Amino acid sequence: MKKIGLVGGTGPESTLMYYKELNLLIDRMTGGKAMPEITVESVNFRRAWNYVSAGKYEELADYLSEKVSLLKSSGSEIIALTAGTMHIILDEIENKTNVSLISIPKAVCDEALLRKYKKVGLLGTIFTMEQDYMKKDLVRSGIEVIVPCKEDRELVAKRILEELELGIVRDDTLQEFNAVIEKMRDENGIEAVILGCTELPLLLNDNNCVLPCLDSVEIHIRKLIRLAADDQYSVL
């Protein structure tokens, strides 16, 4: 089993999900014979978020590249960022570190193609919804990506930052998000919704969402496991 390296802390709640699920699923996959070696470099979320908010992408790339380099020096062979928003500077990190990161947007695109979706909605931070880094692989593959209207984007972003990033999950927020998704379904004909922020699975899943979910955390974790697994193990 190859060693997994995670750039975590953006935010802490999603980092916990990654660590827990990687251990749980690999233990199950191997019939209780193995659990993964994982190194986590946890960043200062406030510092990273301030860089994103201020458009200081060079500083953000330097900061996260330092963490990726530490993971590489620790012996990690499969390295990933645990936040969709931080993929805004994925190319810059790869150029600075000479490390090929396992991309959340690419993993989600592969899953959408596997499910044969033609039109999907996208929820996430304001940056994820309004910029191209989560959309471009999908668009290149012929999948149309719909985001909520400006008012709904601001609502979703506010709830993510002020609630989900802090581990707060509210029933009324679930109702608000389902209303946003229903609007995209009725007005734009989306077939599924991408949970493009790694905290969104705290709130939404296939059991409580009005449409099927492309859970970026679950999809990404399963790809990490497939890449890390030795041939002797059956892969999820």
Side-chain angles (χ1 to χ4, degrees), residues 4-108:
I4 298 171
L6 303 173
V7 178
T10 51
E13 293 295 329
S14 64
T15 306
L16 290 171
M17 284 192 284
Y18 271 84
Y19 186 81
K20 181 178 179 180
E21 289 300 308
L22 283 167
N23 276 282
L24 177 66
L25 292 174
I26 290 176
D27 190 43
R28 183 184 301 163
M29 180 185 78
T30 62
K33 296 177 181 177
M35 297 179 83
E37 292 185 5
I38 303 173
T39 295
V40 179
E41 281 292 333
S42 187
V43 307
N44 177 343
F45 171 73
R46 300 301 179 193
R47 177 179 173 185
W49 188 257
N50 287 340
Y51 284 148
V52 174
S53 299
K56 295 182 177 180
Y57 298 135
E58 185 65 28
E59 289 91 334
L60 180 65
D62 287 340
Y63 185 37
L64 298 189
S65 293
E66 174 189 344
K67 304 302 180 183
V68 169
S69 295
L70 289 170
L71 290 170
K72 183 178 179 181
S73 66
S74 79
S76 297
E77 300 170 86
I78 306 297
I79 300 177
L81 311 176
T82 62
T85 300
M86 297 304 141
H87 284 69
I88 197 168
I89 40 83
L90 180 75
D91 292 343
E92 289 84 349
I93 295 173
E94 291 184 332
N95 290 336
K96 287 176 179 292
T97 62
N98 199 31
V99 172
S100 295
L101 301 174
I102 311 307
S103 161
I104 290 176
K106 181 63 168 61
V108 170

Side-chain angles (χ1 to χ4, degrees), residues 198-216:
T198 47
E199 274 71 39
L200 280 171
L202 293 171
L203 179 72
L204 285 164
N205 56 64
D206 283 330
N207 295 323
N208 65 15
C209 185
V210 295
L211 282 179
C213 295
L214 286 159
D215 180 340
S216 61

Side-chain angles (χ1 to χ4, degrees), residues 1-4 26 78 223-230:
M1 184 78 62
K2 296 182 178 69
K3 185 175 182 180
I4 298 171
I26 290 176
I78 306 297
K223 183 165 186 179
L224 293 175
I225 291 172
R226 287 195 298 272
L227 293 171
D230 294 330

